[in-house]
Amino acid sequence: MGGTAFNSLPVDGKSQLRRRLRQQRAAVAMRIRREHAARCARRALRALRARNARRVAVYLAYRSELSTEPLIEGLLQQGVRVYVPRLVGDDMHMIELRSDTQLRRNRHGIAEPCARDHARPRQLDAIVLPLTGFDAHGHRLGTGGGYYDRFLAGLHGRQKPWLLGYAYALQQCESVPADPWDVRLHAVCTERGLIRFPP
């Protein structure tokens, strides 16, 4: 996985950092990816159980993103209601994942449910978010599409839902610039442990 130095933000902003982080993430061997996904799932399940989270939104991993498959399996085995993203125009809805849920590929090639009934952010106990990068202050570098920013608009402070970033440790950055509309993460789960951020 490499050394301990954090990724720093180049002068030309977020796009170059995103590209570098994606390249580093894609270079992780498949066997290591599976090991880290299993380790992160165990940690995230403990953290979510401690918060008594019964309605949890989780992304469906795409390309080199940290896989959420073992996490979703664990949540469903515990009787937790799991919700996954569906894109509707420029917005994102969270649709409950059931045994009979049909999935399809959206315009970005990401699996998503076909159903339409969805939960609003405040109806969820926790949201597990994909990351391109994150810093020690809970700022998140997303993919650049703004879907989670729009979905979480209006949420502030430590109120629910609990926002848990899900990533490889190598995705930690020295600093991620924050825009006024950004909602900070409450914690990030990596293969090295659970990082909680101060209020």
Side-chain angles (χ1 to χ4, degrees):
M1 295 296 291
T4 58
F6 294 150
N7 291 281
S8 58
L9 190 71
V11 174
D12 65 347
K14 296 181 179 179
S15 60
Q16 186 176 333
L17 182 58
R18 279 194 184 98
R19 185 162 52 250
R20 186 165 71 240
L21 287 166
R22 285 182 182 134
Q23 289 171 349
Q24 291 175 357
R25 192 175 66 187
V28 178
M30 191 58 65
R31 177 182 61 82
I32 301 298
R33 292 185 195 188
R34 288 193 294 267
E35 291 175 0
H36 288 348
R39 191 173 298 131
C40 283
R42 289 193 294 270
R43 291 193 170 110
L45 286 168
R46 284 196 299 269
L48 292 164
R49 189 165 51 245
R51 298 189 64 84
N52 195 33
R54 305 305 302 165
R55 295 163 63 100
V56 179
V58 184
Y59 69 92
L60 295 175
Y62 178 61
R63 291 184 176 172
S64 63
E65 289 177 339
L66 180 61
S67 174
T68 55
E69 187 174 333
L71 174 60
I72 291 172
E73 289 177 359
L75 289 169
L76 292 174
Q77 287 171 4
Q78 293 177 6
V80 175
R81 296 176 69 178
V82 175
Y83 297 77
V84 295
R86 177 178 189 258
L87 302 186
V88 180
D90 290 333
D91 295 322
M92 182 176 67
H93 293 171
M94 288 296 178
I95 313 295
E96 186 168 4
L97 186 65
R98 305 173 191 266
S99 59
D100 61 347
T101 299
Q102 298 292 317
L103 298 178
R104 65 180 180 194
R105 297 283 173 180
N106 63 24
R107 62 184 179 273
H108 301 295
I110 305 170
E112 66 175 20
C114 300
R116 295 185 177 274
D117 291 339
H118 59 97
R120 302 190 182 280
R122 293 186 191 280
Q123 295 175 304
L124 300 167
D125 297 312
I127 302 174
V128 178
L129 295 89
L131 307 174
T132 301
F134 67 96
D135 66 18
H137 303 287
H139 298 129
R140 169 184 173 269
L141 182 67
T143 60
Y147 294 107
Y148 279 91
D149 292 329
R150 288 187 288 275
F151 182 71
L152 299 173
L155 290 178
H156 297 288
R158 308 296 288 184
Q159 63 193 343
K160 78 173 196 178
W162 192 55
L163 304 181
L164 177 63
Y166 210 63
Y168 298 105
L170 62 80
Q171 294 174 251
Q172 184 165 1
C173 307
E174 183 178 335
S175 176
V176 172
D179 292 308
W181 55 84
D182 287 342
V183 177
R184 290 176 60 237
L185 299 168
H186 296 117
V188 166
C189 187
T190 79
E191 75 278 8
R192 295 182 183 173
L194 186 72
I195 306 168
R196 299 181 187 272
F197 303 115

